[in-house]
Amino acid sequence: MQFAQATQYNFNPAKSCPTCDPKKDTVTVPDISFFVGMQQIDSLVETLLGNEKIEGICKMLLKDKCAELAKVLEREIGTVMSVFKTGPFVTVTVDQLLFSGYVSPLVTKLADRVINISNKLIGTNFTLVDPAPFTVALNPENGTTDTLYTVDSGKLDYSRAGYMLSFNNMTNASLPSQGNKLPSQWWPGAETPSCNGNALMLEGTNGDFFKSFIEKTERLPIYIDDICRTAELQFEEEVTVKGIQGYRFVLPADQFDYSLTENCGFCNPNTLSKYGAYDRPVNSTCLPSGLLDISGCQN
């Protein structure tokens, strides 16, 4: 059995906020592209100062002033950040944040400034930054669909009705599963010698429905495409919704506890923490427990 999903979000003033305008109302949020851009700029500066050929050209053109290049770049970065009010937070319209997208001044102003300085002072030929990859929008694919899911019909085993078997893409905008496993590019840490392959497991339904006669003691597997992984739900309490009694299942904390061996695959060896984070040491491949690095599967 196969199916695809598409979700369409529309602003309804009558049910939301009659006086609001998504294209005019603004919010201040952490600027995702700031952190990505700073990493790119840091890499560019290290490339400039660590390249023997560029260093030779620099000494030939600037002579004793070449040693000042790092200070010049550092000063310019600080100046431009101040002038253009570039920082870890950005103020954008609600529409830009959710749908149309925005590009941080860090990319459009600061990065280009660093490149221009390098090109003029020491004759490099770096091209200006393409802002497209740095466009931030929480829901740029509103109303679209790319993934076609194949699920178990439950004909042979009712308890597995709706369980994910595989998924494929229809527009090449995403990666297909590798049979009954998630794409290895999403969780490369799962295939390292010291780890199991649990992170690549494709199991459970997509959460739209579950089998009948669920017991409180059961752990319900569920594939959550927003975070690109399978997780297990655990019973929390009995509830009554509009007169109908039911069980509430939630994600337990152990699903994001990276001290547990079964979660080792969610530590990404391709995104080492250069400075460490919270309780994690320098060059740790794991985020602090409770967080999840989805940079390998989500833009």
Side-chain angles (χ1 to χ4, degrees):
M1 184 167 62
Q2 293 183 318
F3 73 94
Q5 291 180 307
T7 303
Q8 178 73 45
Y9 296 94
N10 296 297
F11 176 63
N12 187 333
K15 292 186 176 181
S16 178
C17 176
T19 60
C20 295
D21 185 343
K23 294 186 181 297
K24 294 182 179 179
D25 297 333
T26 60
V27 291
T28 299
V29 295
D31 184 7
I32 299 173
S33 59
F34 173 86
F35 300 101
V36 176
M38 283 302 295
Q39 187 176 22
Q40 294 290 330
I41 291 173
D42 183 57
S43 176
L44 173 62
V45 172
E46 288 184 359
T47 299
L48 286 173
L49 302 181
N51 187 298
E52 293 183 1
K53 183 177 180 180
I54 292 178
E55 184 180 359
I57 296 174
C58 179
K59 289 181 178 179
M60 181 176 65
L61 296 176
L62 302 180
K63 298 181 181 179
D64 57 334
K65 293 183 180 180
C66 184
E68 298 295 318
L69 180 59
K71 294 181 179 180
V72 171
L73 291 175
E74 183 178 323
R75 184 170 62 250
E76 285 291 333
I77 290 173
T79 300
V80 176
M81 286 182 67
S82 177
V83 170
F84 294 105
K85 298 180 180 180
T86 301
F89 292 88
V90 65
T91 299
V92 294
T93 67
V94 173
D95 177 74
Q96 287 176 318
L97 178 65
L98 295 179
F99 303 118
S100 61
Y102 71 91
V103 179
S104 170
L106 176 86
V107 177
T108 57
K109 304 294 184 181
L110 180 55
D112 286 348
R113 178 65 172 166
V114 171
I115 291 173
N116 282 328
I117 291 173
S118 170
N119 290 346
K120 289 180 180 179
L121 285 181
I122 58 178
T124 54
N125 192 31
F126 292 110
T127 58
L128 298 181
V129 176
D130 177 10
F134 297 95
T135 300
V136 177
L138 296 186
N139 191 17
E141 299 174 354
N142 186 27
T144 66
T145 186
D146 176 67
T147 306
L148 181 67
Y149 297 99
T150 300
V151 300
D152 196 318
S153 66
K155 182 177 181 179
L156 300 179
D157 182 356
Y158 83 94
S159 68
R160 293 187 61 83
Y163 269 45
M164 295 287 174
L165 299 177
S166 65
F167 56 82
N168 209 336
N169 59 59
M170 296 184 285
T171 64
N172 294 321
S174 61
L175 291 174
S177 66
Q178 297 172 345
N180 62 350
K181 291 186 177 181
L182 300 176
S184 57
Q185 297 94 320
W186 288 3
W187 306 112
E191 296 187 318
T192 57
S194 60
C195 187
N196 53 57
N198 286 354
L200 297 177
M201 179 176 62
L202 178 60
E203 183 74 350
T205 72
N206 71 336
D208 282 351
F209 65 94
F210 297 93
K211 67 175 185 178
S212 302
F213 309 112
I214 293 174
E215 299 290 341
K216 296 179 182 179
T217 54
E218 291 186 70
R219 300 266 288 200
L220 304 178
I222 176 175
Y223 171 66
I224 310 173
D225 61 350
D226 286 333
I227 59 174
C228 315
R229 60 163 289 186
T230 295
E232 289 185 335
L233 302 179
Q234 177 178 285
F235 173 78
E236 182 184 50
E237 61 180 344
E238 294 187 21
V239 296
T240 301
V241 179
K242 294 185 177 181
I244 301 175
Q245 293 182 327
Y247 296 160
R248 173 174 290 148
F249 280 73
V250 298
L251 278 172
D254 61 19
Q255 296 295 285
F256 300 95
D257 183 351
Y258 306 118
S259 67
L260 300 178
T261 303
E262 57 264 33
N263 291 330
C264 61
F266 299 113
C267 298
N268 192 342
N270 296 331
T271 55
L272 293 176
S273 176
K274 186 175 181 180
Y275 305 105
Y278 299 97
D279 60 334
R280 299 297 172 182
V282 172
N283 292 331
S284 171
T285 63
C286 297
L287 290 178
S289 293
L291 302 178
L292 182 67
D293 179 5
I294 58 173
S295 60
C297 66
Q298 297 282 19
N299 295 327

